[in-house]
Amino acid sequence: FKPARVGTLNVLRAAQAAGTVRRVVLTSSTAAISSGRKFSWPVENPEQEWGDLEHADTYSQSKILAERAAWDFVSQQKDVGVPVFELVTLNPNFFVGPPLGPAWATSH
C-alpha cells in the first residue's frame, strides 16, 4: 500500500511546492468507495463513503489509502492556514475504449 499512498502524496507535495497549481484531479476508483462492504443505492453522503479496509482486496486497499491520504493532505494544509489547491477525485467503475498498447491486461 505504501507505493500508492506515498506516490500520491509526492505528487500533491510537488503541486503544492510549485505554488501555481490551482486544481489537482486524482483518478481513483469505485474500489475506494465500495470494496469490502455492502453497497447500497442511492448513496446518501458519497463524500463520506469509504471501502472497508479490513475486508477489501489488496488493490482496493491501496486505492482507499491513497485517496484518503490525498484528502487528509488538503485538509491538513487548510487547518494550518496554508493556501492549497482544489482537490477533485474521480472514481470510475470501468473504462471503455481500445487498449493503448499490446499489453492491455495486468496478467500480460
Side-chain angles (χ1 to χ4, degrees):
F1 316 121
K2 186 177 178 181
R5 185 179 180 285
V6 171
T8 298
L9 289 173
N10 285 343
V11 169
L12 297 179
R13 287 184 188 116
Q16 184 72 4
T20 58
V21 176
R22 295 186 336 205
R23 179 179 299 133
V24 172
V25 179
L26 172 66
T27 303
S28 185
S29 170
T30 54
I33 301 168
S34 61
S35 288
R37 67 180 184 86
K38 185 174 171 107
F39 189 74
S40 60
W41 190 259
V43 177
E44 297 296 325
N45 296 304
E47 295 85 2
Q48 298 172 6
E49 296 286 332
W50 293 103
D52 182 348
L53 277 171
E54 188 175 317
H55 296 102
D57 59 83
T58 304
Y59 169 81
S60 301
Q61 289 173 341
S62 70
K63 288 297 192 178
I64 294 166
L65 291 172
E67 187 176 338
R68 278 187 176 172
W71 285 113
D72 289 346
F73 175 85
V74 170
S75 178
Q76 290 164 0
Q77 297 299 304
K78 288 180 179 178
D79 287 349
V80 296
V82 175
V84 67
F85 48 78
E86 176 186 17
L87 177 64
V88 177
T89 56
L90 302 176
N91 299 88
N93 192 24
F94 64 94
F95 294 94
V96 177
L100 296 177
W104 51 271
T106 57
S107 61
H108 292 167

